[in-house]
Amino acid sequence: MVNKSIPLILCDEEDVQGEHGATIGRLDESVLFYMNARGVSEAEAQKMMARSKIARVAALLGDDQEAQKALDFFDASMENGADGGNE
């Protein structure tokens, strides 16, 4: 398993707030069971959950075009593999 984390820094001049989040491990068993029961593989469920987190953060940009660019980048990285196609 590869740890993928994204630092998030929210700045407003002198008011600086920083957060760093990372998730290591598997999906919650109940979420995985729910997804599997509906024909979604574990790998696809992980992609769906990761994309939903990216979409939530991208929505905070307040710019639909930039948010879509972030989602497009994520989608392309998933198509090319976790390392951007440099396996």
Side-chain angles (χ1 to χ4, degrees), residues 11-27:
C11 299
D12 185 22
E13 297 182 30
E14 72 282 345
D15 181 25
V16 177
Q17 175 187 0
E19 296 181 28
H20 183 87
T23 301
I24 300 174
R26 298 181 167 272
L27 289 175

Side-chain angles (χ1 to χ4, degrees), residues 17-38:
Q17 175 187 0
E19 296 181 28
H20 183 87
T23 301
I24 300 174
R26 298 181 167 272
L27 289 175
D28 179 88
E29 289 296 320
S30 62
V31 172
L32 186 56
F33 176 80
Y34 178 86
M35 301 291 251
N36 285 153
R38 281 144 185 84

Side-chain angles (χ1 to χ4, degrees), residues 37-84:
R38 281 144 185 84
V40 179
S41 70
E42 182 174 356
E44 193 61 30
Q46 288 175 341
K47 287 180 189 178
M48 290 171 64
M49 296 301 291
R51 191 177 195 283
S52 72
K53 290 179 182 184
I54 297 294
R56 186 173 51 217
V57 172
L60 296 174
L61 295 172
D63 182 330
D64 291 343
Q65 289 181 336
E66 292 301 315
Q68 189 58 52
K69 284 182 186 177
L71 290 172
D72 291 345
F73 180 81
F74 174 81
D75 293 339
S77 70
M78 289 295 102
E79 288 175 17
N80 295 327
D83 64 355

